[in-house]
Amino acid sequence: MRDSGSSADEVDDARSESSSGPVLASRTLLGLAAVAIAFAAADTYVVVLALPEMMSASGLDVDELQRAAPIISGFLLGYVGVLPLIGRISDLRGRVPVLLGSLVVFAVGSLVTAAAYDLSTIVAGRLLQGVGGGGLIPPTLALVADLWPPRRRGLPLGVVGAVQELGSVLGPLYGAVVLAFGSWRDIFWLNAAVGLVLAAVMLRLRDAAPAAPPRGHAAASPDRPPGRPDLPGFGLLALALTGLSLVMLQPERLVTGVTAGLAFLPVTGDSRWLTPLALGTYVVAALFVVRQATARRPLVQWRSWGEIARITDLVGAALLAIALAALIVTFASAEPESGTLSPQAPWLLPVAALATVGFVYRQRTATEPLVPRRALSARPAWGALVVSFVIGAALIAALVDIPFFARLTVHRDSQLDAALVLVRFLVALPVGAVLGGWLLRRVPASWLTAVAMLVSAAAFWHMATWDAQSLASEWETLSLVAAGLGFGLAIAPVNAVLLEHTADAVHGVASALLIVARMVGMLIGVSALTTIGLRAFYSASSRIPAAADLCTGEVQLCQAYRDAVRDAGIAQLHAVFLGAAVCAVVAAGLSLWLLREPAHTRTRSSGTTLPL
């Protein structure tokens, strides 16, 4: 970021001072959004601790881990699949309405998960959580761009990135504390409560935030009439959610009650969804819909939906969602021990390809494409997506294979201790994110990202020399911290470059595509690196002498043979770390080429603000 944009920044500063009240409200909203992002990010990791109990509640045995994969991939599918659509809606409708909607969806998804009674309902709840949690990020990043001029965005972008990464550190701790005093359901009840409280506070601040009509689509964001919020609507919504929870949970104390139990007896058949309580919940939900259709200030601002649907390419969004869903299931449902792709890959990949072709066609022909034409025409803009993709491919090696290495070598009997090794890496991520945002005002984004990736590459290169006892040394904390700092340092500059070189009116969808690029890079990266690692493992395994030769005729496998197999596993992980180092070096080179500001352009600040 260059000083040539200082005059434009001074104009923005003067404007901010003249409207300090609205700006303060908007920055408070940004803080609430950051807290919500931290909870959503923590939820991604907390489920790992709760997974055994969740499997038991859904009727799965511990050895049926593959059947439980949708609990993880369902969240990921919701997180990534509809991000571009949510980002585009935030450009058209405003940041705060989308943040509010995402928070409510996340809270409802948490409620459904907490009350789930089988695998299908758990996955449905996780899918909703993913949609809500993922939907928080694009409008939050775009809100930073709305509130700060380009030269001053680095630190707030770094803070948002740090909060997101901090969730990965606090998630396991949060889960462990809750599980120590309660059950896995309590985690999601707390998530639902926090989400609804944040939404309520954000709702009170919404009218204090500055607002402006969307560019070119003034009808999409009608002014809200003055007055109190829709309290009857609140009551009906609370009753509907309470009824839904009771229908799903069927508390034994109520079900077995002489009088209360009648509400849980099906009117016909044996489905819990045909009980008097369920039918009453349907009536309350219908009354809520009627109330929203007639209230002067409804909770759900539905009156602009028709205009939003008209100017949003829903067909293109559906095609992109199908392509992303097929990719996620292909790579996220694979069994690393036997392959890098899902068994359904032979038909999922053609579906992804066809959907991608259809999406590209829609982009070329639709009157209002999902991604406005030339929105990413600047080299730094599309270059940020490419760099984010490659960074994701490198990052996944650390997230997956560092604890794998620890479990294989020094912590063979403790999954928890192996996971704590990764925490040393994760703690450095938010620190690096804040530091990278601070440095962005002093160092060009291209150079900062390149140096950051070279630091991570050097750390990976060193990891490729680890032996069976390396992680027993406290000095290896330095390599783990260095790798985490490198990835953290790159967060703010990549985000800042994308926002600076795209128009204000597309910041939401552009931010969404940046996240999608990173997630797709992680999925494809773990598949490619696992393939490389498996080849190294098979090569090393082929050189292991027969057990009878190593064990000098002993009936049982001796320590020498076990060590040889372990060393083959280490060779596999060395190959993965080297592949990650190469990805990080490639990301550094691409950063210097793609993220540098073209010589004929100057840092700009539009001086306008999107609707909040």
Side-chain angles (χ1 to χ4, degrees), residues 291-476:
R291 176 64 188 178
Q292 296 309 294
T294 58
R296 186 166 178 264
R297 283 173 55 93
L299 295 177
V300 181
Q301 297 296 306
W302 60 271
R303 292 183 176 91
S304 62
W305 287 8
E307 177 67 8
I308 293 294
R310 187 186 66 79
I311 58 180
T312 304
D313 183 17
L314 297 179
V315 174
L319 289 169
L320 183 56
I322 291 171
L324 291 172
L327 283 176
I328 289 169
V329 177
T330 296
F331 293 104
S333 300
E335 298 186 40
E337 295 83 359
S338 58
T340 56
L341 299 177
S342 167
Q344 289 78 36
W347 66 268
L348 284 174
L349 288 178
V351 167
L354 289 174
T356 301
V357 171
F359 172 71
V360 172
Y361 177 77
R362 286 290 302 182
Q363 278 292 117
R364 292 178 176 272
T365 59
T367 304
E368 299 276 0
L370 181 66
V371 183
R373 295 183 182 90
R374 299 190 60 79
L376 300 171
S377 59
R379 185 191 65 204
W382 61 262
L385 303 186
V386 174
V387 171
S388 182
F389 175 90
V390 182
I391 289 176
L395 175 62
I396 193 64
L399 298 178
V400 172
D401 291 298
I402 288 175
F404 188 8
F405 194 102
R407 186 69 186 272
L408 181 65
T409 56
V410 296
H411 297 300
R412 300 180 67 90
D413 300 323
S414 175
Q415 182 67 45
L416 177 60
D417 289 340
L420 290 176
V421 173
L422 181 63
V423 170
R424 306 178 207 173
F425 169 88
L426 294 175
V427 167
L429 275 171
V431 175
V434 175
L435 181 60
W438 180 77
L439 288 173
L440 196 54
R441 295 193 68 176
R442 296 158 178 80
V443 182
S446 57
W447 281 99
L448 181 56
T449 307
V451 171
M453 285 297 93
L454 289 177
V455 170
S456 293
F460 275 128
W461 202 275
H462 174 71
M463 292 178 196
T465 67
W466 281 349
D467 59 28
Q469 298 301 318
S470 292
L471 287 179
S473 171
E474 295 298 327
W475 287 103
E476 288 305 330

Side-chain angles (χ1 to χ4, degrees), residues 237-315:
L237 178 61
L239 282 176
L241 293 177
T242 301
L244 175 66
S245 302
L246 291 174
V247 170
M248 297 180 67
L249 277 175
Q250 292 197 333
E252 183 178 355
R253 185 174 180 179
L254 295 179
V255 173
T256 57
V258 176
T259 303
L262 297 176
F264 294 89
L265 294 177
V267 175
T268 181
D270 58 358
S271 173
R272 70 181 68 205
W273 299 105
L274 295 176
T275 61
L277 178 61
L279 298 177
T281 301
Y282 303 152
V283 172
V284 173
L287 290 174
F288 173 75
V289 172
V290 172
R291 176 64 188 178
Q292 296 309 294
T294 58
R296 186 166 178 264
R297 283 173 55 93
L299 295 177
V300 181
Q301 297 296 306
W302 60 271
R303 292 183 176 91
S304 62
W305 287 8
E307 177 67 8
I308 293 294
R310 187 186 66 79
I311 58 180
T312 304
D313 183 17
L314 297 179
V315 174

Side-chain angles (χ1 to χ4, degrees), residues 23-229:
V23 170
L24 178 60
S26 296
R27 294 185 178 182
T28 304
L29 285 169
L30 181 62
L32 294 173
V35 173
I37 287 175
F39 261 89
D43 194 75
T44 308
Y45 292 86
V46 75
V47 75
V48 176
L49 292 176
L51 190 58
E53 291 186 31
M54 295 175 73
M55 290 174 61
S56 177
S58 60
L60 298 178
D61 294 329
V62 178
D63 58 353
E64 296 180 287
L65 188 60
Q66 192 61 27
R67 288 185 58 193
I71 297 176
I72 306 292
S73 59
F75 182 91
L76 187 61
L77 183 60
Y79 193 92
V80 176
V82 295
L83 264 185
L85 177 60
I86 294 175
R88 184 59 182 147
I89 291 174
S90 78
D91 289 332
L92 298 171
R93 181 65 182 85
R95 314 302 183 204
V96 177
V98 173
L99 285 171
L100 273 169
S102 297
L103 263 176
V104 172
V105 170
F106 176 76
V108 172
S110 299
L111 183 147
V112 171
T113 306
Y117 55 88
D118 61 10
L119 182 61
S120 298
T121 50
I122 290 178
V123 173
R126 294 289 292 163
L127 181 68
L128 286 174
Q129 280 189 293
V131 171
L136 292 167
I137 303 176
T140 301
L141 293 176
L143 187 57
V144 171
D146 295 342
L147 296 174
W148 279 273
R151 287 181 61 253
R152 296 176 56 193
R153 289 175 189 162
L155 188 56
L157 285 173
V159 171
V160 171
V163 168
Q164 184 180 1
E165 300 301 339
L166 191 61
S168 63
V169 180
L170 298 180
L173 300 177
Y174 165 57
V177 170
V178 176
L179 291 174
F181 296 96
S183 72
W184 67 270
R185 297 183 188 274
D186 295 325
I187 295 172
F188 299 102
W189 287 125
L190 284 172
N191 284 349
V194 170
L196 292 175
V197 168
L198 288 174
V201 177
M202 195 175 290
L203 188 64
R204 288 184 61 85
L205 289 172
R206 174 174 58 182
D207 295 335
R215 295 171 183 78
H217 300 295
S221 184
D223 290 335
R224 288 172 51 84
R228 288 186 176 184

